[in-house]
Amino acid sequence: MSKKVLMLHGLAQTGPYFQSKTKNFRTALEAMGYELLYPTAPNRYPSADIPTSLLDSVATEPNSNEVVAWIENDEVNHTYFLPESTKIFLHDYIVENGPFDGLVGFSQGAGVAGYLATDLNTLLDLSPEEQPTLKFFMSFSGFRFVPEIYQKQYNDHPISIPSLHVKGELDTVTEPWKIEALFNSCDEDKRTLLVHGGGHFVPNSRGSVKKVTEWLEVNTE
């Protein structure tokens, strides 16, 4: 039976789009016996609510006035939060398609994945039978949630499973301090930081993918 990996896309992307952008990564993990599943976030928001500077760095559907997202912006209080719709969707998706060995996210999807990795079963109301403890977590351009309401969760439940944090030297979307904040939310003995020479994307070069698979082999023995 294949080992399953839950793949969470970035802001304004979709599952199929994220799948197309991670071809080499996906092929390499499939060769290791993994099956990668790519859900699409359940929330749709007007594209006018998303900063233009950010839309330049994400994938929007042609001629669409909406963007897909896991997180909801709170315009009144100038912050954001993880809506119940996302948690309910991911609970149901895991029950119907899991259980999963690994959790991988890009950008906003990595931010969500990182928060959930602190205590996936409690946050998504999953039993150990529905979802055993994850074996690994990978973050590509991911970040720690900034709003104060989430800090106790990170502080009380450091991410204890092996985690790989990948950042691009030319990434102008997710600032380095945000990536480092998520990295510092993990067990010191279980976390690894990997830097590539590109920007805000999942590196697909042969060299980068090789480093990821080598990490996976060592940390999931």
Side-chain angles (χ1 to χ4, degrees):
M1 185 173 69
S2 64
K3 300 167 288 187
K4 295 183 178 180
V5 180
L6 182 58
M7 304 286 295
L8 302 186
H9 62 76
L11 172 65
Q13 296 182 345
T14 63
Y17 180 89
F18 190 34
Q19 182 176 15
S20 72
K21 289 296 182 179
T22 53
K23 181 179 178 181
N24 292 341
F25 175 87
R26 185 177 76 254
T27 300
L29 264 65
E30 287 174 346
M32 298 174 67
Y34 290 98
E35 178 186 1
L36 280 58
L37 281 74
Y38 294 79
T40 295
N43 312 301
R44 304 289 188 278
Y45 303 116
S47 56
D49 292 346
I50 308 300
T52 302
S53 60
L54 187 56
L55 284 176
D56 290 340
S57 303
V58 298
T60 54
E61 295 296 320
N63 303 317
S64 174
N65 293 319
E66 294 183 322
V67 295
V68 179
W70 301 104
I71 293 172
E72 184 171 345
N73 285 335
D74 179 351
E75 300 294 338
V76 174
N77 297 303
H78 305 290
T79 186
Y80 58 83
F81 61 94
L82 186 66
E84 283 300 311
S85 56
T86 293
K87 291 191 280 187
I88 291 170
F89 171 82
L90 288 173
H91 167 276
D92 293 347
Y93 192 88
I94 290 172
V95 170
E96 293 170 9
N97 299 281
F100 290 89
D101 279 60
L103 182 58
V104 177
F106 167 65
S107 196
Q108 185 182 107
V112 172
Y115 176 68
L116 295 177
T118 61
D119 190 356
L120 180 69
N121 290 63
T122 299
L123 292 172
L124 294 185
D125 191 24
L126 294 163
S127 70
E129 292 73 31
E130 290 171 327
Q131 177 56 56
T133 302
L134 291 167
K135 295 181 179 178
F136 67 89
F137 159 58
M138 291 186 194
S139 167
F140 293 88
S141 300
F143 55 90
R144 172 169 166 155
F145 285 177
V146 174
E148 184 60 34
I149 58 171
Y150 297 111
Q151 302 315 305
K152 180 175 173 56
Q153 179 66 28
Y154 290 106
N155 295 336
D156 292 352
H157 303 276
I159 298 171
S160 58
I161 58 175
S163 62
L164 178 65
H165 304 258
V166 184
K167 71 173 183 177
E169 291 181 326
L170 304 180
D171 190 344
T172 59
V173 177
T174 305
E175 295 98 331
W177 70 266
K178 292 182 178 179
I179 294 173
E180 291 164 9
L182 180 57
F183 178 74
N184 291 328
S185 304
C186 303
D187 188 320
E188 290 184 11
D189 297 327
K190 300 287 187 65
R191 66 191 186 189
T192 301
L193 181 65
L194 179 63
V195 180
H196 66 89
H200 192 68
F201 55 79
V202 176
N204 248 333
S205 69
R206 181 176 297 179
S208 293
V209 171
K210 186 173 186 291
K211 290 178 181 178
V212 171
T213 55
E214 288 175 345
W215 175 88
L216 191 55
E217 288 175 346
V218 170
N219 288 277
T220 57
E221 291 179 342

